[in-house]
Amino acid sequence: MKRLLALLLLALPASAQDRRSGFEDMARETQAMQRDDMQNPGMLWVAEGEDRFNRDCTACHSEASMRGVAARYPAWDEATGAPIDLAGRISACVERHQRVAPPARESQPLLALTAYVAHQSRGLPISRPSDPRLAPALEQGRALYGERRGQLDLSCVQCHDDNAGRRLAGSTIPQAHPTGYPLYRLEWQGVGSLQRRLRGCMTGVRSEPFAYGAAEYVALELFLNDRAAGMLLETPAVRP
Amino acid sequence: MGDIARAVPRRVALALALLLATPARADEAPLTDVPGDAARGRAIVADRTRGLCLLCHAGPIPEERFQGNLAPPLDGAGLRWSAAELRLRLVDGKRLNPDSIMPSYYRVEGLHRVSPAQRGRTILAAQEIEDVVAYLLTLREEPPR
Ligand code: HEC
Ligand code: HEC
Ligand code: HEC
């Protein structure tokens, strides 16, 4: 049995063994905060999302039908013929099916609904984007990830691949796996989306971030999910 | 491409290659007429929003906690390098190492998607570069082990 396990481990690509969630780079107290639902502030957003879901969405969806959805987003949106992320998908439902104005990106109602839906996939592995129509966006995401930008002229690769685990001033540079979003960030004193995190990294190198909802973020998210495929979702995670 | 290579005599090709690969100038002349001020330079290096140096480097600035470790310590920089060499590394170290993560502090061309507030502006001003060089020259002790 042990030998079989060892063989299996050897068969895994090196990257699958070395990958670590940002969770592992955190201080023990922050880890404890994420682990304990009673302490995890992100659970307040999940609870609010649950109320909204039960009020606005159960005419068409059940809680059980939301299990696993977040693990396979961004996905292809037939209506617009473009990739769409989970928050975009939820907004589209509000607009198309409830026929009311969609909630703004990064608004409390949308973060709460997205946190609730993503929470239904907690513990499930991120799946590799497989729809062939996503391929061009995935490649765009890969290119954006490798591109130097801003006055400081740095790419995501240079920090998150070449220098992950080292310290940028007081912060340990994580490997940038999008396992926990939307998540509660101590620095934000609130829950935010992956797009908010990416904007932070972009403005950090003094580059012009893309607007919320831009196709570039969906492309980056597709690439990050491809890179993190098989890692387990943690929503709502906590980060420093 | 192959045809051109064959058409050009070997020796000419060699000379051309040498010319194209201009070695980085090691003698970067002072950017201003006013000599740098080491005390002002220290303040710039210590300031995370101006010099940004301590995001990546550690240095003998004990009051600043949380120094980075993406780059060699600044301690001893004044033993290892001359003023001209330090200036070159600050102005545009990518002339020495194109893959370096160290930002070019006095260059505006060749950058991508710079935020509007910083577009067309160098990270440090000419006199600030001189001040930082003057400070680095005072660092004549190797890092503590
Ligand atoms: C100069 C270094 C640097 C660059 C360049 C950079 N990041 Fe980051 N990134 C960080 C640091 C440091 C953190 C962690 C911040 C913290 O914990 O406070 C982080 C966090 C992240 C996270 C969150 C991981 C988690 O566990 O939740 C993601 C995702 C991410 N970055 C993606 C990117 C992408 C995509 C790019 C390029 C568009 C990029 N970063 C560019 C330094 C950088
Ligand atoms: C009137 C019906 C209706 C309502 C109300 C509705 N949806 Fe939907 N939803 C759909 C349909 C139909 C789809 C399939 C895709 C499409 O046609 O838009 C869908 C797809 C989705 C998906 C993607 C599922 C997948 O497997 O990819 C999510 C997530 C979702 N809805 C969330 C919500 C949330 C959250 C709300 C409430 C804010 C909501 N929906 C309200 C009809 C509805
Ligand atoms: C984003 C990271 C980063 C920042 C910010 C940064 N550096 Fe560097 N620096 C490096 C790296 C990495 C090296 C190693 C050589 C290389 O890669 O070019 C280096 C090399 C140096 C060297 C030569 C090191 C030696 O003694 O061999 C000096 C001197 C230096 N930096 C000074 C500074 C000063 C002063 C500042 C701020 C004004 C600064 N650096 C900001 C990353 C950085």
Side-chain angles (χ1 to χ4, degrees):
Chain A
M1 186 62 207
K2 258 203 185 139
R3 270 189 61 194
L4 190 74
L5 199 77
L7 275 174
L8 274 173
L9 277 174
L10 279 177
L12 282 172
S15 59
Q17 291 173 43
D18 301 342
R19 287 178 314 175
R20 42 195 278 134
S21 157
F23 176 85
E24 295 177 58
D25 296 322
M26 303 197 302
R28 271 177 203 289
E29 310 81 74
T30 325
Q31 290 185 341
M33 191 192 267
Q34 173 173 328
R35 272 209 201 94
D36 179 358
D37 283 351
M38 302 301 287
Q39 275 192 61
N40 183 336
M43 288 307 288
L44 296 172
W45 275 254
V46 171
E48 183 190 327
E50 181 172 19
D51 288 345
R52 291 180 177 274
F53 186 84
N54 289 334
R55 193 187 69 203
D56 298 336
C57 320
T58 42
C60 306
H61 302 289
S62 66
E63 176 175 284
S65 72
M66 290 291 122
R67 184 159 170 81
V69 173
R72 51 181 168 73
Y73 267 69
W76 186 257
D77 182 32
E78 301 287 351
T80 54
I84 192 168
D85 66 355
L86 186 60
R89 169 75 269 172
I90 292 170
S91 287
C93 259
V94 172
E95 192 175 15
R96 288 177 208 158
H97 302 302
Q98 280 179 248
R99 305 204 170 276
V100 294
R105 284 269 168 182
E106 232 48 30
S107 64
Q108 173 85 8
L110 185 56
L111 285 170
L113 277 169
T114 312
Y116 168 74
V117 172
H119 181 61
Q120 306 309 312
S121 297
R122 184 161 75 172
L124 296 180
I126 295 178
S127 60
R128 195 173 290 284
S130 59
D131 188 321
R133 293 171 296 181
L134 296 171
L138 178 65
E139 284 321 303
Q140 183 194 8
R142 190 189 309 280
L144 287 164
Y145 189 79
E147 192 171 78
R148 285 181 169 223
R149 53 167 48 78
Q151 194 188 36
L152 305 190
D153 199 23
L154 287 165
S155 69
C156 322
V157 167
Q158 289 178 305
C159 284
H160 292 294
D161 291 339
D162 300 348
N163 284 291
R166 298 221 175 93
R167 264 183 302 101
L168 183 72
S171 315
T172 302
I173 301 181
Q175 292 178 357
H177 295 303
T179 46
Y181 291 84
L183 55 70
Y184 185 89
R185 193 158 174 229
L186 301 176
E187 192 182 305
W188 295 333
Q189 296 283 300
V191 162
S193 67
L194 177 62
Q195 293 196 7
R196 183 168 177 195
R197 173 68 260 182
L198 301 184
R199 284 173 72 93
C201 283
M202 289 176 183
T203 53
V205 298
R206 301 183 177 178
S207 81
E208 184 176 10
F210 301 101
Y212 274 117
E216 283 86 352
Y217 289 127
V218 181
L220 268 170
E221 185 178 354
L222 272 169
F223 170 71
L224 291 176
N225 274 358
D226 188 59
R227 199 167 154 266
M231 297 180 76
L232 307 184
L233 280 178
E234 299 165 37
T235 311
V238 175
R239 293 290 181 269
Chain B
M1 192 61 205
D3 289 343
I4 298 173
R6 241 170 288 133
V8 181
R10 243 186 106 80
R11 221 171 323 148
V12 177
L14 212 102
L16 259 176
L18 278 175
L19 261 178
L20 288 176
T22 337
R25 282 186 303 150
D27 58 335
E28 189 76 13
L31 303 175
T32 67
D33 297 334
V34 184
D37 176 319
R40 279 205 301 260
R42 186 185 191 279
I44 293 165
V45 170
D47 187 335
R48 276 148 216 269
T49 60
R50 280 172 81 202
L52 314 161
C53 318
L54 299 183
L55 295 180
C56 297
H57 292 273
I61 302 186
E63 71 274 19
E64 285 297 322
R65 295 172 62 217
F66 305 121
Q67 306 186 351
N69 66 0
L70 307 189
L74 295 176
D75 308 62
L79 289 174
R80 289 189 293 277
W81 311 104
S82 69
E85 287 166 327
L86 288 169
R87 193 176 292 112
L88 172 60
R89 277 165 178 76
L90 285 166
V91 165
D92 187 10
K94 281 164 192 156
R95 278 192 255 154
L96 298 170
N97 172 11
D99 297 328
S100 179
I101 58 168
M102 176 152 155
S104 299
Y105 280 85
Y106 200 67
R107 172 165 73 93
V108 290
E109 337 73 69
L111 301 175
H112 174 60
R113 273 193 88 85
V114 176
S115 65
Q118 277 106 6
R119 210 165 287 160
R121 306 174 63 155
T122 58
I123 303 174
L124 290 179
Q127 194 59 47
E128 292 177 314
I129 301 268
E130 293 306 316
D131 294 342
V132 173
V133 169
Y135 167 66
L136 293 174
L137 284 171
T138 68
L139 302 183
R140 306 189 63 82
E141 261 174 64
E142 293 296 346
R145 295 203 170 250

